[in-house]
Every structure is written in structure tokens, then in C-alpha cells.
Amino acid sequence: MSFKDVKELRTQGKLNEALKLALVELAIDSENIWNKRALAWVYYDFLKINSDYSKLNDFNSFWDKLMAIDLSEDNNQILHESIALQLGKVVFSVFRERELPTTILDELLTKAKLLSIQRPSKANSFLIKAFLKGTKTWPKVHEVLDYFGFDGFSDSDYLSEEFNGRAIPSTVEKYYNYTAKFYLDAMKNRNDNPESYDLIKSQIVEFLPMLEKQIARNPEYQYLPYFRAKLLLSIGENQSVFAAFLPFAKRKKTEFWVWEVIADTFEANDENRFACFCKALSLKSPEEFLIGLRLDFAKMLIQKEMFPEAKLEIAKVVDIRTSKGWKISNEIQQLLSQKWFLDAPILSSNQDLYKRYIDQAESLLFNDVPEHIITIEFVNRDKQMITFVKNRSHHGFFSYKSYLQRPEIGEVYKARFSEVSKDGFHKLLSITKANESDQPEALKKFEGELKVNEKGNFGFVDDVFFDPTTIQKMNLKNEQKISGTAILSFNKKKPLLYGGVFCFPLYLSLYENPH
């Protein structure tokens, strides 16, 4: 029963004595599976106390001895899962090094492939999490995807974590994010090779349904919709992107790169694309992140012959690259030497240009929200509130702050709202001036004779109401012929007399008085 004695020595922490005894017993009976197991677990204990990059030589030595023991597959799994946890610790310790030893990581991944572990399992999850630390620094990290695949996640892998009060994405979210980045980089660096394009495209097409499944299962994973949009764009599926990307874009609309993605869904000369660039550049973002965006926008400005504006964008690109010590590309150098650049005046800012297109860009976010044609009934400039009318069943008010400069009664707009309170307050999503072809239900043309009541203090042309002030101010007479435009309104003072709804004149054309 010496294998029990070996276990007892291990429990007491007497590993050297346990090792000597296990080796003696295995020499006596080399085919005894209990003797093999006993020695294997002793080597595991040595592996465990050396599971750090600083002790890698000893770790490798005990690894080789342990893996050389011929255990049956039935006896492998528990041991291998324990070994995987120690291997993961070594991987984590490698990433703490100032200069990453990438060849060591390659060797550690090779070791991981030798282990027989369940999927899903705690060990499998731990190894994935460890190797994913290399997504930004390890050239061969993509081999992690090939080995681990997408079917070995435990329930805990789907949960986000917290470290020092900061939320950390779940293992699954990071895994899918990295996979998407890998395919996007591969597509970007394919060097216009048709065969390479077809191969990468087929891989993306195969990956997209898995990504979509995770988006549906985990709507809290914020960036998966972004990567889905980028992948669809990379394979030319622009038409599918916009609607699918909208929910994400609404949540992250203060991020410049969200508008860059939306811009990419439109053709090069589309005004919506131009508007999205303006919106992106209007946001506060680190200048070094905007280099590519500014250069692309400058090219659009050049096409529009907006040379001063283009010059400013290019100058900003040069300034930031110079301040960072980065190379000025040949493309930029060519632009700097062109006649239009040399002749164009210098502007201090393009903010006014950006602001002119912000409303157009933001309205794109709400294409899935019904648009209403409304007419302004009243403007409270002190509170920056508008009372509006759509038709007899839809009216209310909203704040126009940061949306409109100086709205006027009778103006017609196309507006989108996200919610309506019980008192009629509408939360505005977007608003733009209506086109001439848009037909507002709240405005009507009228023509006829004014019928003034006996006291002469109000009157009607059909159902258009003329209040005493209007009659007196314009010196209107009974049976006078009048034409004009009237607006549907809601009389809060005399709802019983006028049924709560009536029309009053906005614009009048007066004919010669009959008397």
C-alpha cells in the first residue's frame, strides 16, 4: 500500500520524500497503475510550486517527466485538468514581463494542446482567459481560436467581472471581439489578393451566425454589434449594416468611431456620409485617434472644392503626426505640395461646418422611428419650448433647446419623438424643416365671407375662428371676403364652446370691404 504512503507524504508537504518513495515503488512494479498515479501526482505538486515564468526551467523539467508517464485515458482527465490550471498560471505570469517572450508563449500553447481536458470545464476556461491576454502583443494568438474553438465556454465565461471598481468584459465577449478584430485585420492586409479575399470572406460568413447568436443571447455585450457591422462592411454587405447597427449606435452616439461606421454604409458621394464625418469630428476625442478620419474627410472636401476647410483638416493631421514623431506619409506630402493647398487661406476652425450637418447626421439614428409632420402653434422663447399640432388627435409640446435657433409659429417640421408623458410633453429625437411636398394636416387654405357675431367680438370663415383682437387689429367687417391659411389649434380657455379644437388664421389676404 505504498502509494498511500506517497499520498500521505504529499499531504504533509514532504515532496522530496514522496518522490523518492514513488520512484522506488514504480521501479519495483512498473506496470502498477496506482504506482504510476502516485508518481504523476508528485510531479504535479512540483509543477504547481514552479508555475511561474521565473521558474520556467523547473516547470518544464517536471512537465516532461509528468507527461512521460503512461497513464490510461481514464486516469488522465482529472490530472490534466489540474495541470491545465498550473499551465494557465505560467501563461499569466509571462504576460507580466516587460518584454514579452513570444516564443515561450508559442511553446506554452503547444503544451496546452497536449492536455486532455473537458470542454466546457474550469480548466478550459482558465486557459482561454490566460492566452487571451496576448490579443494585442502576441503574433500567434490567433492559434488560440483554432485550438479552443467556440463550443467550450462555461456559464461563468459569459459573466462580466469587476476589478478595482472597473467592469471587465466577460471571457466570451473578449473572445468574440478578438476573433472579429482578427478577421478585420486579415481582410485589411490581404494585399488585394482575390484568393485571399475569398478565403477570408468565407471564414467571416461562417463566423457571422455565431456572432449574431451571441448578440441575441447577450445584448449587454456592447461591442459585438459594432464588430458585426464592421465585418459586414468588409465583405460588401453595406445594405444589411445600417438597421442592425442602429441599436448600438444610439447607445454609443458620443463616440466618433460609431459615426465612422455609419458613414461607411453610404456611397462615397452621399451627403449622409459627409454629415456623419461632420458629426464624428464635432465630438471631443483624442486627436491621435482622428488622423484617418480627418484625412478621409479632407478628400471629400477637396472633391467639393472646399479647399480652405480641406487645408485645415490636413494641417491638423500633419500637426498631430509631427507632435507624436510619426512619419508623414507620401499621400499627405503630395497633398501638401498641390497648388490648391498652397493657395487656400488658413482657417482657424471647421466647427461651424460640422454644426451645419449635425442634425442631418443625428436624424439617421432614428430612421426606425416614425416621422411626424408637425406645425408650430406657439413658441415660448424664455423656456425654449414649442407647442405643436400634427392633427386633431395628436398635439403636444417639446423643448427645442440645441435643436432649433429661432422657430416661428406656422413653420412646418418633420420630427421624431421617443416618448410622450401624460401631460403631452414629447421627448424630441430629431427635427428638420419639412419639404414643400410635405402636407401638414394642421394647416389649411380657406376662403370665404367672415361671419361676425352680433356683438362683433368674434367671427368665423367656415370653421376658421377670428378672435376679437384679430378683428379689431385688422379692422375686419362682417361679410368681408377673406382668404388665407389657418392652423389647427386647441382652445384651452373655452373647450365647451369650441369643442376644444378650432382653427385660427395665420396668413390673410383681404378683399375690399363690402361696406
Side-chain angles (χ1 to χ4, degrees), residues 40-63:
W41 281 104
V42 173
Y43 283 142
Y44 167 76
D45 284 344
F46 277 104
L47 199 72
K48 184 176 181 179
I49 62 176
N50 289 285
S51 56
D52 188 87
Y53 178 64
S54 63
K55 304 174 183 177
L56 188 60
N57 288 336
D58 289 335
F59 182 89
N60 286 337
S61 175
F62 286 110
W63 171 282

Side-chain angles (χ1 to χ4, degrees), residues 392-404:
R392 287 180 175 272
S393 60
H394 190 172
H395 60 98
F397 60 101
F398 60 85
S399 170
Y400 67 85
K401 184 179 180 180
S402 76
Y403 286 96
L404 300 174

Side-chain angles (χ1 to χ4, degrees), residues 399-418:
S399 170
Y400 67 85
K401 184 179 180 180
S402 76
Y403 286 96
L404 300 174
Q405 292 297 317
R406 192 169 181 81
E408 300 290 346
I409 294 174
E411 288 183 335
V412 181
Y413 288 89
K414 292 187 289 188
R416 292 186 174 94
F417 304 105
S418 65

